[in-house]
Amino acid sequence: MVQEFDKVGVVGLGTMGAGIAEVFARAGFNVIGVEIDQAALDRGRGHVDKSLSRAVSRGKLTEEERAGIDARLSFTTSREDLADADFVVEAVPERMAIKRDVFGDLDRICPPGTILATNTSSLSVTEIAALTGRPDKVVGLHFFNPAPVMKLAEVITTVSTSAETVDIVTEVAKRIGKTPIAVGDRAGFVANALLVPYINDAVRLYERKVASREDIDAAVQKAAGLPMGPLTLADLVGLDVCLAVMDVLWDEYRDPRYVAAPLLRRMVAAGRLGRKSGQGFYAGTEDQPEPRPTGRFAEMIREEETLDLGEILIAPQIDDAMRMIGDGYASARDVDTAMRFGCGYPEGPTELLEKRGAESVVTTLVAMGEYGLTSVTVPAPLLMDRLPDAEEGSGQGGGGCACHG
């Protein structure tokens, strides 16, 4: 059925939507990009042109290939032009009122067989599907920025999504060069539910003057081999995006683990959103190196052998991943795939766990709890089950606390 697709619509041509349109056009689909007015349309077209020109200049596209992609792209300010679309991806701002308007129009305009996908990263796909008369044909298709580069695509299903729709969307994701994982509709899905609390943890450590922003980032890069540290990543992603995801996680779970760091909320309120606003943890402060923290927690980190700064940002994320796997929401393979292909991790959380060993991770979590550096009171059962003495204990990893002692 994928082979029969001819026309793909992309509604919303911001940085992400423009990237999605480019991805589909590169894969051979005829794509029509839709924006709300001519000014927004021109900006969206500019995003695509800039990306393709960059690819040509770097030798990743020939001029002939670029011309072919351009020929498959068209742009409009009228959603009515999607009347013969086979597949539509919505990539408008993350506000339900806007999505309600878009999906109401798409449901009215598009043929009954058209699959409608939302690129939402934080809103309920189930609620979006309920806005239409075809909930069986509505699915989440979550791309990662920059869409032409990042290989992960999360396919989000609802209780109403048909198996046929899931199969088709998964195959579409593969055809456009992505590595898909299919999971249910749950706050944060896989990647954001693991990545954003990790960023939030780093903000909290920075706020409590446990270490400087540079030391926090350098420690995590060294510990996990990441291309950038969490505070640098926060500036790149956008502090407003991080806060929105944390609030969605809190609304769904009401777990202290998902309470946004007060500093994160204050920075967003002040308009310090990272690179997009020119001010963040680093943005706008390039000439202002920070002094070495001298507070109680900073001294504790330097002196306490059981507390390594890099492990303190890594261990809670591994615990989150093990809870996700233990809940049956995602497999270990899907979790690692999400973090490697969606977040640029050289190794996924379960791979990091294998390298460190459960005892080391649990020791770090317990020590963090004793010093009030985490809201995790008991490590994930699946993590405790991996302790060396778990088989001799209760089956719930009862020896976990003993390893700290």
Side-chain angles (χ1 to χ4, degrees):
M1 186 170 180
V2 175
Q3 298 297 325
E4 298 174 0
F5 278 8
D6 175 56
K7 193 174 192 178
V8 173
V10 178
V11 181
L13 297 173
T15 302
M16 181 60 75
I20 294 170
E22 178 185 337
V23 166
F24 275 95
R26 279 179 177 243
F29 291 100
N30 291 310
V31 180
I32 182 165
V34 185
E35 259 295 358
I36 191 67
D37 56 35
Q38 191 61 47
L41 193 70
D42 290 342
R43 286 193 297 271
R45 189 194 302 262
H47 290 319
V48 177
D49 288 343
K50 183 177 179 180
S51 177
L52 292 175
S53 295
R54 187 186 304 117
V56 171
S57 68
R58 294 177 178 177
K60 296 183 178 180
L61 277 179
T62 66
E63 289 289 356
E64 292 75 18
E65 289 170 332
R66 187 320 179 23
I69 293 170
D70 283 334
R72 291 190 290 274
L73 284 163
S74 59
F75 300 90
T76 182
T77 58
S78 174
R79 293 174 190 167
E80 301 291 337
D81 291 337
L82 298 175
D84 58 346
D86 303 298
F87 190 94
V88 180
V89 181
E90 165 273 311
V92 301
E94 289 284 81
R95 294 195 290 275
M96 188 58 78
I98 299 176
K99 295 186 188 291
R100 182 177 296 110
D101 175 64
V102 169
F103 276 85
D105 272 358
L106 293 178
D107 194 39
R108 172 181 59 82
I109 294 167
C110 297
T114 302
I115 292 175
L116 307 180
T118 174
N119 183 55
T120 184
S121 61
S122 60
L123 299 178
S124 167
V125 178
T126 303
E127 186 176 347
I128 291 171
L131 300 173
T132 75
R134 63 181 85 192
D136 60 315
K137 293 188 178 297
V138 177
V139 70
L141 185 56
H142 183 212
F143 292 84
F144 292 77
N145 195 29
V149 176
M150 303 305 288
K151 294 298 184 183
L152 179 68
E154 291 178 313
V155 178
I156 314 302
T157 67
T158 76
V159 293
S160 301
T161 310
S162 70
E164 180 186 29
T165 298
V166 177
D167 289 344
I168 292 172
V169 175
T170 300
E171 285 304 312
V172 167
K174 292 177 180 177
R175 178 167 165 180
I176 61 177
K178 303 304 178 185
T179 300
I181 61 170
V183 292
D185 186 19
R186 185 165 118 168
F189 313 138
V190 176
N192 278 343
L194 295 179
L195 183 70
V196 178
Y198 146 83
I199 292 175
N200 189 63
D201 285 341
V203 176
R204 187 177 288 113
L205 291 174
Y206 178 63
E207 180 177 28
R208 298 179 70 178
K209 296 181 172 57
V210 171
S212 70
R213 64 193 177 197
E214 291 87 357
D215 284 348
I216 290 171
D217 279 357
V220 177
Q221 286 180 275
K222 180 180 178 181
L226 298 177
M228 66 180 71
L231 297 178
T232 300
L233 182 60
D235 273 1
L236 177 63
V237 171
L239 275 62
D240 54 335
V241 175
C242 294
L243 178 60
V245 173
M246 288 303 300
D247 284 346
V248 167
L249 290 168
W250 166 253
D251 286 343
E252 179 147 328
Y253 298 112
R254 299 288 168 170
D255 187 317
R257 175 81 181 104
Y258 301 120
V259 174
L263 178 60
L264 177 62
R265 194 173 297 281
R266 287 197 298 272
M267 290 184 72
V268 171
R272 299 176 65 95
L273 310 180
R275 292 189 187 180
K276 68 174 74 175
S277 70
Q279 290 183 307
F281 289 107
Y282 290 95
T285 63
E286 291 81 357
D287 299 324
Q288 303 174 33
E290 293 190 320
R292 185 181 179 91
T294 56
R296 179 172 70 91
F297 285 110
E299 294 299 326
M300 178 187 70
I301 291 294
R302 287 194 283 268
E303 296 174 4
E304 178 61 65
E305 293 182 358
T306 60
L307 288 173
D308 174 85
L309 183 58
E311 297 303 315
I312 289 175
L313 296 167
I314 298 300
Q317 187 180 69
I318 292 175
D319 185 75
D320 287 343
M322 297 306 286
R323 291 181 192 278
M324 185 178 286
I325 296 166
D327 288 347
Y329 178 66
S331 68
R333 181 174 183 177
D334 283 345
V335 164
D336 286 344
T337 296
M339 301 311 288
R340 289 174 60 207
F341 291 100
C343 304
Y345 277 47
E347 297 175 297
T350 71
E351 294 167 321
L352 290 171
L353 174 60
E354 290 298 324
K355 179 176 289 186
R356 282 160 172 74
E359 188 169 5
S360 173
V361 175
V362 170
T363 296
T364 298
L365 288 169
V366 173
M368 288 174 67
E370 290 181 356
Y371 288 108
L373 294 176
T374 180
S375 61
V376 176
T377 55
V378 179
L382 196 58
L383 179 58
M384 300 290 275
D385 285 345
R386 293 196 176 201
L387 291 172
D389 60 348
E391 293 184 0
E392 301 174 8
S394 66
Q396 291 297 316
C401 293
C403 75
H404 175 60

